[in-house]
Structure formats: C-alpha cells, structure tokens
Amino acid sequence: MSYAVIENPVTGERALRRHAPSDGSPLVADLYARPGAAVVGEHVHPHARETFTVVRGTLGVRVGGVESHAVPGTRVVVPPGTPHDWWTVGDETAFVIVEVDPGHRFEAMIRNLFGLAADGRADSAGRPGLLQAALLAREFDDTIRFTSPPRAVQRPLFAALAPIARMRGLQGRYEKYEQHTGATVEELETIPPEIAVLLPALTPDHRG
C-alpha cells in the first residue's frame, strides 16, 4: 500500500494520511513539522474536533487562548468552535498524529491550502492572496475560519471580493490539488505502543 505525501513548503508541514475518514471514523494523519514550522494562523473548525498526539519533538499550542507545550505522550483535544494555533518548539522535527472528526472536508481544504503554497500562491505565512483567500474562505466556511481579521470584517469583505476573484479565473477549490499526483511512501512510521494506546481511532492495522 502506498501513502500520499502532502507537503507545504512554506509552513514546513509534511503530512501522510494514515486513515481515511469513512463510516463515521475520523481522518488520521501523520504530521511532520520541521523546526520553525507553524500552522497558517489561529483558526477554528466550526463542526470538527481536532486532536494532536505528540510522538516525537515538542509542539507549542494555544487552545482557547491558553498556551502550553505538548511533549511526547501528550494528547491535546480541540473541541469544535475553539480558537487554536500551533508551532514547533526547539530544533527537532515534531512528529504528531492528527485526528479530525469529521475529516472529509478538512482533507480537501488542506490539499488546496498546501497546493496553493507549493505553487507559490501564498505569502510567507502560507496564506493565499486576498482574492484567492476570499473564495477559499467561502468554499470551506463550514470547515475552517481564521480568527483574524474578525469574522464581522471577513464576511462582507470576502463577499465583495469573490466576484472579482472569479472574474480573474480563481476558484474556491482546485481539482488538481485534490487529485494527488505527487510523492508517495510505501510504509508509515510505526507508532510506539505507549502512544498507540492513546489513539482509539486507530485499529492495529493502522498503527504501522
């Protein structure tokens, strides 16, 4: 079996899907975040619960305004609608198991964000330009919402910009990013037993 590698060269994230969301089960992915890596910005998932389980390295996290460091064996659960942010701490690449429930729309959103960044269509933080962001935000409003600028500003601004973005040929999502044609690996890293017991979403077959 081969596993697709999804990489964001701007933010420093490299992800491999360990378990596809199906039959009510969450998306489970291996995330490798290099030193200095960070997610694109503080955000919320309106309807999904996201969980981070650190296998190796240290992850800085801010959940609901509270900052902490997550070390190996730490499990951080982010309830739906909760503002959160994360970044790597120290000089070691962090290896984190990420679970998103439900996860189907989340995967599509990530593939589009990473694809845009890989094509040079994102800023130094990994966020697309304003016109592209307007369409992406409207397309995936059920999946991710950034906390800055405030939503009261985002909604009318993006509504005004969306027609201009479409006139310039931009889209809210791109099939070429969602149909993976990049690198794959044949095996995933084995999860240590003391970490695997923390992952109820994974059957023994998915633990490497």
Side-chain angles (χ1 to χ4, degrees), residues 111-128:
R111 286 181 177 273
N112 278 276
L113 269 179
F114 281 24
L116 288 165
D119 279 351
R121 299 169 64 186
D123 63 18
S124 60
R127 298 182 72 160

Side-chain angles (χ1 to χ4, degrees), residues 76-147:
V76 179
V77 179
V78 183
T82 304
H84 60 286
D85 198 0
W86 66 257
W87 57 92
T88 51
V89 176
D91 299 325
E92 182 180 12
T93 293
F95 172 28
V96 183
I97 305 299
V98 180
E99 303 161 72
V100 183
D101 187 14
H104 179 70
R105 289 276 290 165
F106 180 90
E107 181 176 359
M109 178 271 297
I110 285 294
R111 286 181 177 273
N112 278 276
L113 269 179
F114 281 24
L116 288 165
D119 279 351
R121 299 169 64 186
D123 63 18
S124 60
R127 298 182 72 160
L130 192 56
L131 289 178
Q132 179 62 73
L135 295 183
L136 195 73
R138 288 165 66 84
E139 171 65 34
F140 291 105
D141 184 68
D142 64 326
T143 307
I144 189 170
R145 298 171 185 173
F146 291 96
T147 59

